[in-house]
Amino acid sequence: MPTGKITFKTLEMLDEFSRNLIHERKVASLKTGRPRGRNGGRPKVNQQKLNEAISLYFSQKMTVVQIQEATGISRTTLYRSLKKIKK
């Protein structure tokens, strides 16, 4: 049993060390990216294009695929916005 305990503790320490390294690298890359205008995260949806896609959807002049091609708004984003409007 002592061998199992020491093996487990060693693996535990290596895992914690690995997590700390990943965290330090992430923080360092965020710090170096901020001065270059990189804040991380997904880019925001262009609200004007989203509103245009919603109005096209309600006008029923175009299919969802056509709206997607015309505005560049994804189908998922469009449906998620429509769901928020209906609530």
Side-chain angles (χ1 to χ4, degrees), residues 43-54:
K44 300 288 182 195
V45 175
N46 185 338
Q47 194 62 41
Q48 184 179 0
K49 286 187 177 185
L50 181 60
N51 291 339
E52 180 184 345
I54 291 170

Side-chain angles (χ1 to χ4, degrees), residues 18-32:
S18 174
R19 278 185 276 132
N20 286 339
L21 276 179
I22 291 170
H23 178 72
E24 287 175 11
R25 288 180 188 153
K26 179 182 71 173
V27 169
S29 69
L30 286 173
K31 282 182 182 177
T32 59

Side-chain angles (χ1 to χ4, degrees), residues 12-75:
E12 205 173 73
M13 286 178 4
L14 287 173
D15 184 47
E16 183 179 357
F17 177 71
S18 174
R19 278 185 276 132
N20 286 339
L21 276 179
I22 291 170
H23 178 72
E24 287 175 11
R25 288 180 188 153
K26 179 182 71 173
V27 169
S29 69
L30 286 173
K31 282 182 182 177
T32 59
R34 283 193 184 111
R36 295 181 289 142
R38 310 277 183 185
N39 293 326
R42 295 182 64 90
K44 300 288 182 195
V45 175
N46 185 338
Q47 194 62 41
Q48 184 179 0
K49 286 187 177 185
L50 181 60
N51 291 339
E52 180 184 345
I54 291 170
S55 65
L56 287 171
Y57 179 83
F58 284 125
S59 71
Q60 297 182 345
K61 292 180 182 177
M62 300 173 89
T63 65
V64 174
V65 175
Q66 291 171 332
I67 293 170
Q68 184 177 352
E69 291 171 358
T71 61
I73 300 294
S74 72
R75 183 182 323 166

